[in-house]
Amino acid sequence: MNEQSETRGMSTGPRRERRAAFTPDQQLYQPLSAEEDRQRTNTHYEQQVEFFYALTGGEWNVYSANLWTGAQTQTESQEKKLDLLAELMHLRPGMRILDVGCGWAGPLVYLTKKYGVRGVGLTLSSLQKGAADERIAAHDADVTIVESHWKDYVDTEPFDVVYTDEVIVHFHDLGDFFAKVYGLLRPGGVMLNKELHLVHARHSEMTRAMSFINEVFGSTGNYRTLAEELTLVGEAGFDVEAIRQMPLREYQKTVDSWLANMKGQRPRLEELVGRETFRRFQTYLQLCHYIHGGTRMTLDLVVCRKPAPTEGPALVAKGG
C-alpha cells in the first residue's frame, strides 16, 4: 500500500475527535501476515457449517450478493449470478479455473457441472474444506479444494481463469495479489473480481456501523475505490476488459433473504452457535441492508486479461 492509501480517511480539525473513539485494532487497512490473516478470517468462518447453510440457503450456499431480477427462489438467484460470472469469464469446456475464497464450494461445483470446466478452490477454513469436499463427492464434480492462503499457494499448471466474489476487500496487499494471479494465469487468461467499492476515499472514515461489521470479519476490511483497484490492476500488467455494475438493491434483496432464513430457523441456529453469535450476525446483516441502501458504495465486477504474446511480425511505422 502506498502512503496515500495507508492514511486515507484521516480527518483534520473537529472530525479527528470522532475517529479517536475507535482503537487501532478497529480500523480498516491493517497489514497482516498470512497466518494472522488466517486466524482473523476464521473468527468469522469457523462456525458450524449447518449455520451458514441455513443462513445462505439455496442449492449452492453462495455467501455474496446474488441476482434477484427474474428469480423466485434463492437457488435461482444464486444461479443467475453465477451464470453472469461465467459469461464474463468466457467459460468454455476444458478450461481450468481457480476460485480464491471458495467457501463451501457451491459456486465451483455449479460452474464445473454446467460449463464443463475443471476447478480449484482456496480456503483458509478447515470446516469449509470438509464441507466442500462432501459437496464435491456428492456431485462427482471435477474440483479440488486446497486449504491455503493465496500467498502460499503454488501450482505448476496454469489457469485459464482466476476469480473472486467479494473476497479481495479482505486483502490489504491487493497489488501483491494481482501480481500473484498474473503469475498463475496462462497468457490470455482472465481475472474477474466482484467487489464493493467506495464512491470516494473519504467514505473510509470509520463509523460505528463500519467498525462493527469489520470486527465481525476479524478486522480484515480494506475498502477501496474502484479507481484504486484499477490502478493496481494496471500496475500488475493486466488489461481491463470489462466493468459491470450490479445494482445494490440486488444486495439488499440477498441480505433480506438471509435475515428471513435466520428468523425462520432461529431456535436451531442459536443452538448451533449460541445466542450472542446469532445476534451479532443478525445485527451485521441489518447494518448491511442499511448501508447498501445508501450512496457511498457501488458493487462492481471487474474483468481483466493477461496479455497474450503478439502474433506475427511487429508492425513498423513508415517514416515521413
Side-chain angles (χ1 to χ4, degrees):
M1 279 273 194
N2 57 32
E3 182 178 353
Q4 182 179 0
S5 300
E6 294 269 344
T7 59
R8 64 186 169 176
M10 296 295 288
S11 54
T12 58
R15 303 180 82 185
R16 195 174 297 223
E17 295 180 0
R18 184 155 63 99
R19 285 186 61 105
F22 300 100
T23 60
D25 63 343
Q26 293 175 306
Q27 302 291 348
L28 301 174
Y29 317 118
Q30 298 189 42
L32 302 172
S33 68
E35 183 56 33
E36 288 171 332
D37 191 17
R38 177 193 299 273
Q39 292 176 2
R40 292 198 185 194
T41 298
N42 282 339
T43 63
H44 185 89
Y45 289 103
E46 284 284 276
Q47 308 291 342
Q48 292 293 323
V49 172
E50 183 183 340
F51 172 79
F52 281 109
Y53 279 11
L55 168 68
T56 55
E59 176 69 21
W60 308 111
N61 303 114
V62 180
Y63 195 28
S64 57
N66 297 311
L67 286 171
W68 285 87
T69 302
Q72 301 299 318
T73 67
Q74 287 177 312
T75 295
E76 290 176 352
S77 72
Q78 293 168 6
E79 292 180 353
K80 283 178 67 70
K81 191 274 293 291
L82 295 173
D83 288 339
L84 173 61
L85 298 187
E87 175 189 344
L88 293 174
M89 294 186 293
H90 311 289
L91 292 190
R92 299 189 305 277
M95 282 185 166
R96 186 167 187 256
I97 67 175
L98 174 65
D99 181 347
V100 181
C102 65
W104 308 273
L108 260 180
V109 169
Y110 175 79
L111 293 173
T112 57
K113 298 294 285 186
K114 180 168 182 178
Y115 295 95
V117 298
R118 297 180 292 145
V120 176
L122 300 187
T123 179
L124 297 177
S125 165
S126 59
L127 288 178
Q128 282 190 338
K129 175 172 167 47
D133 287 340
E134 290 180 3
R135 188 193 301 267
I136 292 163
H139 287 270
D140 191 25
D142 191 354
V143 175
T144 301
I145 303 300
V146 181
E147 187 177 339
S148 172
H149 197 282
W150 63 263
K151 293 181 181 180
D152 301 323
Y153 179 70
V154 294
D155 203 307
T156 57
E157 182 182 356
F159 289 94
D160 298 288
V161 175
V162 177
Y163 75 95
T164 66
D165 188 354
E166 297 177 36
V167 171
I168 60 173
V169 67
H170 302 296
F171 299 168
H172 180 272
D173 43 359
L174 186 58
D176 290 343
F177 173 71
F178 290 154
K180 177 81 171 189
V181 173
Y182 193 92
L184 291 170
L185 283 169
R186 65 166 178 80
V190 170
M191 176 178 70
L192 181 148
N193 297 290
K194 169 173 166 276
E195 193 52 84
L196 289 160
H197 297 102
L198 300 171
V199 300
H200 193 282
R202 66 176 175 272
H203 295 311
S204 66
E205 183 173 348
M206 189 58 73
T207 64
R208 290 179 63 187
M210 187 180 293
S211 176
F212 183 87
I213 293 173
N214 193 36
E215 183 181 343
V216 166
F217 281 90
S219 298
T220 59
N222 296 276
Y223 288 103
R224 298 172 173 84
T225 64
L226 178 59
E228 182 178 353
E229 181 178 323
L230 294 177
T231 296
L232 295 173
V233 162
E235 290 175 353
F238 285 97
D239 295 337
V240 177
E241 184 171 276
I243 300 173
R244 181 80 64 89
Q245 192 171 93
M246 280 179 58
L248 281 176
R249 64 177 177 272
E250 301 284 0
Y251 215 140
Q252 283 191 307
K253 291 178 181 178
T254 302
V255 167
D256 288 347
S257 76
W258 295 343
L259 285 167
N261 290 343
M262 292 188 71
K263 181 178 180 181
Q265 303 175 71
R266 180 165 187 162
R268 176 55 179 163
L269 297 185
E270 287 187 344
E271 180 183 344
L272 285 170
V273 300
R275 182 171 299 179
E276 177 61 20
T277 296
F278 179 95
R279 183 195 66 79
R280 286 176 64 79
F281 268 78
Q282 187 178 53
T283 300
Y284 121 69
L285 291 176
Q286 290 168 339
L287 291 172
C288 286
H289 175 96
Y290 169 76
I291 291 171
H292 297 147
T295 59
R296 294 189 172 196
M297 286 185 157
T298 59
L299 180 59
D300 308 285
L301 299 97
V302 178
V303 186
C304 306
R305 190 175 293 274
K306 178 177 178 177
T310 303
E311 295 183 1
L315 296 178
V316 179
K318 295 182 178 180

